[in-house]
Amino acid sequence: MLGLSGSEWLFYGGIAVMAAAGVLGMLSVIVFTLTGRALRDRLEQEYGKIRGKKTCPKE
């Protein structure tokens, strides 16, 4: 088994899992950014541009 103890397997396995989580997180950001742009363009085409944020009147 490559000469690693159980605790070393857990340590290096944890590093590998965290690296995979980081890569998948960045991939998610890219995908959601691209699909968000497409969705925003489609909504603007169907409903028009957003005029701005509506705020509640101060009482």
Side-chain angles (χ1 to χ4, degrees):
M1 283 188 46
L2 300 178
L4 296 176
S5 68
S7 60
E8 289 174 328
W9 276 106
L10 287 174
F11 177 72
Y12 292 120
I15 290 174
V17 168
M18 290 304 294
V23 169
L24 291 175
M26 292 305 296
L27 183 64
S28 303
V29 167
I30 292 168
V31 168
F32 289 140
T33 300
L34 295 176
T35 57
R37 286 181 187 163
L39 178 61
R40 184 173 41 247
D41 291 342
R42 176 182 245 161
L43 290 173
E44 282 183 3
Q45 181 183 9
E46 290 183 15
Y47 298 108
K49 289 200 179 249
I50 297 174
R51 290 186 218 145
K53 293 182 180 180
K54 295 187 179 208
T55 58
C56 295
K58 294 184 180 178
E59 295 180 13

